[in-house]
Amino acid sequence: MSGPVVLVTQYGAEEIAIEPAQVLRYLGMGGRQPDQQTSRMIEDCIGEFQKAAAYKVCWLTAEITVQQDGVDFGVFYAPGQSIVRSLKDCRRAIVFAATTGLQAEQQMKRQWVVSKAKAVVLDAVGTAAAEALCDRFCSDRQAELVEQRLRPRFSPGYGDLPLQLQKELLNCLDSHRKIGLFLSEGLLMTPQKSVSAIMGIGGQGCDALRHDCQNCEKRDCLFRL
Ligand code: SF4
């Protein structure tokens, strides 16, 4: 029996907007006004990162069964109450893995030898880029849905969803072959600036563009993670 088809979506750097405000947030300076030197370094690092980045996402849409203690995706079983809550009333879900590419990773690593300050900024740029890639991917998938909404993206390691599930998730997506993304023995993704996640498709869902509950003002949202 064949499983769901894995698709690959690629984006050019011009399609992924890395916002300086998000980089500042990952630098732990969110809400503060950066000095001129920091602003310039952020802009430079965004430019350098974009030249090296290769944005790719592999993904599938699975028919799911939400059970009492977990969710059956057919291709794997996700245990825990957090995922049960997140996917309540959903019959389908998107499973995806997204990466900013190996070249951007190598560029970051080389920078550690040259300038640690710049390497720290590049690292934050990489995190912002991976999130921006997910945001773009999610809004593209949302645009294809008729009368249905995506739930916020939910990654292994959130709530009580085991981090180990990343292994099955990336395996079923064949992420190594499809987009060059693999998992180390210690469950670290390479390239590091990558994300793996699940998003339910339901009658109700996330209404925010960014799907980022920690920075969302909708305090009474039913789907807040
Ligand atoms: S709290 Fe905001 S980001 Fe989170 S699910 Fe609700 S609308 Fe989406």
Side-chain angles (χ1 to χ4, degrees):
M1 198 179 73
S2 59
V5 180
V6 178
L7 301 171
V8 174
T9 302
Q10 300 192 40
Y11 293 100
E14 70 289 351
E15 296 175 282
I16 307 298
I18 308 173
E19 292 170 25
Q22 293 301 315
V23 177
L24 270 179
R25 203 183 118 213
Y26 292 118
L27 283 170
M29 296 168 67
R32 271 192 266 163
Q33 192 60 36
D35 58 34
Q36 225 179 10
Q37 200 187 352
T38 310
S39 292
R40 190 166 314 129
M41 192 184 275
I42 290 175
E43 290 293 349
D44 288 351
C45 286
I46 289 175
E48 284 178 30
F49 191 92
Q50 291 288 44
K51 274 190 212 145
Y55 296 111
K56 289 184 188 166
V57 185
C58 58
W59 58 285
L60 58 81
T61 306
E63 303 287 329
I64 60 168
T65 313
V66 181
Q67 301 176 351
Q68 219 172 355
D69 298 318
V71 180
D72 188 357
F73 284 76
V75 275
F76 60 82
Y77 183 80
Q81 287 309 309
S82 311
I83 192 82
V84 168
R85 264 199 310 276
S86 176
L87 301 191
K88 187 172 177 278
D89 300 328
C90 293
R91 291 200 182 145
R92 291 187 303 148
I94 292 174
V95 179
F96 76 91
T99 187
T100 59
L102 197 58
Q103 210 187 320
E105 171 109 337
Q106 286 164 344
Q107 178 195 51
M108 249 184 310
K109 284 189 176 150
R110 279 196 301 273
Q111 196 58 53
W112 280 106
V113 187
V114 185
S115 158
K116 288 201 171 39
K118 196 168 168 187
V120 168
V121 176
L122 260 181
D123 188 79
V125 168
T127 305
E131 290 301 319
L133 170 60
C134 292
D135 289 342
R136 172 64 200 251
F137 173 72
C138 294
S139 37
D140 285 353
R141 300 291 73 75
Q142 180 62 67
E144 292 169 352
L145 295 173
V146 181
E147 292 178 6
Q148 295 218 288
R149 309 265 339 146
L150 288 176
R151 298 282 165 87
R153 49 182 180 262
F154 201 100
S155 291
Y158 279 5
D160 62 356
L161 187 66
L163 190 59
Q164 288 83 339
L165 191 72
Q166 274 195 128
K167 207 169 174 179
E168 283 172 83
L169 199 153
L170 295 183
N171 272 347
C172 81
L173 291 168
D174 195 13
S175 68
H176 195 174
R177 216 167 51 85
K178 300 266 187 198
I179 60 168
L181 169 59
F182 64 96
L183 211 53
S184 73
E185 291 283 314
L187 298 177
L188 285 177
M189 285 193 279
T190 301
Q192 204 195 328
K193 299 304 177 187
S194 302
V195 173
S196 67
I198 292 162
M199 294 185 294
I201 300 172
Q204 291 175 286
C206 175
D207 291 324
L209 194 63
R210 202 161 254 137
H211 297 259
D212 177 356
C213 297
Q214 280 180 2
N215 287 285
C216 181
E217 285 167 5
K218 295 179 183 158
R219 295 279 141 205
D220 58 349
C221 174
L222 280 177
F223 307 108
R224 174 170 279 283
L225 296 178

